[in-house]
Amino acid sequence: MSQTTTASATYTTTDIENVVRRVKADLIMIANSTGAWTTDKAAEYAHDIEILAKEGYLAWADVTLLQYGVELQATRFDVDTAAGTLTTSRPGGVLWPRVDNAKLRIVISYTSAYTDTAREATRKKLKIGWTTSHDDTSHASLSSSGGRNYVSSTYGMQRKDWAA
């Protein structure tokens, strides 16, 4: 005799809010340490990340510190909707250097669910006027330097870090 059971874990918008709150803390730390964004600008990016995540449209968000066009630091938040086995971390570890001519770049990637119809329906909810980017976000010139996991129920974002 054999038995089969199926278990399915789910997450709520509250779980997404809990995860994005940690991402927002990281974005604000990056903004404050580099001086390249205001706290308000970091919060606007976090707002849009949350909106897109709640709708199931966010695949990842990638933040890079550039100086004269050269990558110095980077971090990527990869969405994981089956993160139930991961242990959550506290935000931090992103006190990046304050350098001359610093620029922070954020690039987001959408899921296949982000159709033209979805884009039009979501546009009014977003604070940033997102445009298409062809920037290389492979961070090939940087070395992997760790990361963290932000998890609530089965929803999570895995943070990967790179440094020069």
Side-chain angles (χ1 to χ4, degrees):
M1 179 168 129
S2 67
Q3 292 182 322
T4 307
T5 60
T6 303
S8 177
T10 59
Y11 56 88
T12 65
T13 57
T14 301
D15 293 316
I16 294 170
E17 291 166 359
N18 289 337
V19 169
V20 173
R21 191 174 313 122
R22 293 177 181 106
V23 171
K24 179 180 179 181
D26 280 350
L27 294 178
I28 289 171
M29 281 185 245
I30 290 168
N32 289 338
S33 64
T34 64
W37 285 342
T38 63
T39 300
D40 288 344
K41 181 56 88 176
E44 287 178 2
Y45 286 125
H47 170 271
D48 285 7
I49 286 169
E50 183 174 313
I51 294 295
L52 293 166
K54 283 180 175 178
E55 297 294 335
Y57 301 148
L58 183 70
W60 51 259
D62 186 282
V63 181
T64 307
L65 172 63
L66 302 136
Q67 182 184 35
Y68 300 107
V70 176
E71 291 187 346
L72 300 179
Q73 304 265 166
T75 193
R76 177 175 297 178
F77 302 93
D78 288 305
V79 172
D80 185 345
T81 57
T85 61
L86 299 175
T87 302
T88 199
S89 307
R90 295 179 76 170
V94 286
L95 294 177
W96 291 358
R98 186 175 290 251
V99 296
D100 292 334
N101 200 37
K103 178 184 174 190
L104 286 172
R105 173 188 69 202
I106 185 166
V107 177
I108 57 174
S109 179
Y110 306 106
T111 65
S112 60
Y114 201 50
T115 62
D116 289 340
T117 303
R119 188 179 313 264
E120 192 55 41
T122 307
R123 184 183 323 265
K124 294 177 187 133
K125 298 177 187 177
L126 302 176
K127 293 188 176 189
I128 303 297
W130 296 96
T131 59
T132 301
S133 171
H134 299 286
D135 291 346
D136 178 8
T137 58
S138 68
H139 309 302
S141 65
L142 302 176
S143 299
S144 179
S145 63
R148 298 186 183 209
N149 296 320
Y150 302 140
V151 181
S152 183
S153 187
T154 61
Y155 187 86
M157 289 196 193
Q158 295 182 38
R159 191 183 92 195
K160 299 174 189 167
D161 300 327
W162 293 267

